[in-house]
């Protein structure tokens, strides 16, 4: 048995075996990470997902699940889709502003070149 249980095993109030699927990704000093993921997906589903993934991609999957779960807790209706939508709107506004600024620069350069040629 592992004397320092991972955050998942602490949350689930169980012993943490040496081959615990959760221990590499849920250290004991970050219990909120697992609690949030468990609230949205459930421990059994997360365990199944991790077991189906190659070991080298599990950490990235846990980070993705963590982000998506936190977003879903903060915004139960839209989750991370709300953030993505907001960012896309900001990108469109910024692109419009950039195009406007580039047009203004082109006009200013044209005026400057006309004044120089006189």
């Amino acid at each position: 048995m592992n004397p320092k249980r991972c955050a998942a095993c602490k949350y689930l109030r169980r012993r943490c075996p040496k081959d615990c699927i959760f221990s590499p990704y849920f250290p004991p000093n970050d219990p909120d990470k697992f609690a949030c993921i468990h609230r949205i997906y459930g421990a059994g589903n997360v365990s199944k997902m991790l077991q189906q993934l190659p070991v080298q991609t599990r950490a990235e999957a846990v980070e993705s699940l963590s982000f998506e779960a936190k977003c879903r807790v903060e915004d139960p209706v839209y989750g991370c889709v709300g953030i993505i939508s907001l960012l896309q709107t900001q990108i469109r506004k910024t692109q419009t502003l950039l195009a406007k600024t580039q047009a203004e620069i082109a006009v200013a350069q044209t005026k400057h070149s006309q004044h120089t040629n006189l």
Side-chain angles (χ1 to χ4, degrees):
M1 288 294 141
N2 191 351
K4 270 206 150 193
R5 295 183 298 167
C6 67
C9 290
K10 277 185 183 179
Y11 186 87
L12 299 171
R13 296 181 180 161
R14 67 180 192 186
R15 293 181 181 182
C16 192
K18 288 185 180 186
D19 63 342
C20 178
I21 189 85
F22 297 121
S23 64
Y25 315 107
F26 301 103
N29 61 349
D30 191 6
D32 294 336
K33 183 177 180 180
F34 179 77
C36 190
I37 289 176
H38 174 64
R39 180 176 170 190
I40 300 300
Y41 300 106
N45 290 329
V46 174
S47 175
K48 288 176 193 173
M49 282 188 256
L50 292 176
Q51 288 172 353
Q52 291 175 354
L53 292 172
V55 175
Q56 64 270 19
T57 62
R58 289 179 183 174
E60 190 174 342
V62 167
E63 291 307 311
S64 179
L65 288 171
S66 177
F67 175 74
E68 291 178 27
K70 285 178 185 176
C71 290
R72 183 62 64 184
V73 167
E74 291 173 9
D75 184 353
V77 175
Y78 294 107
C80 65
V81 174
I83 293 172
I84 292 168
S85 177
L86 177 68
L87 291 173
Q88 287 175 335
T89 301
Q90 289 177 348
I91 288 170
R92 282 193 298 274
K93 286 179 181 178
T94 303
Q95 287 173 332
T96 301
L97 182 61
L98 176 62
K100 181 181 175 185
T101 304
Q102 287 174 332
E104 289 173 358
I105 290 171
V107 168
Q109 285 176 337
T110 303
K111 286 182 180 178
H112 178 72
S113 66
Q114 287 175 351
H115 289 296
T116 307
N117 293 338
L118 294 177

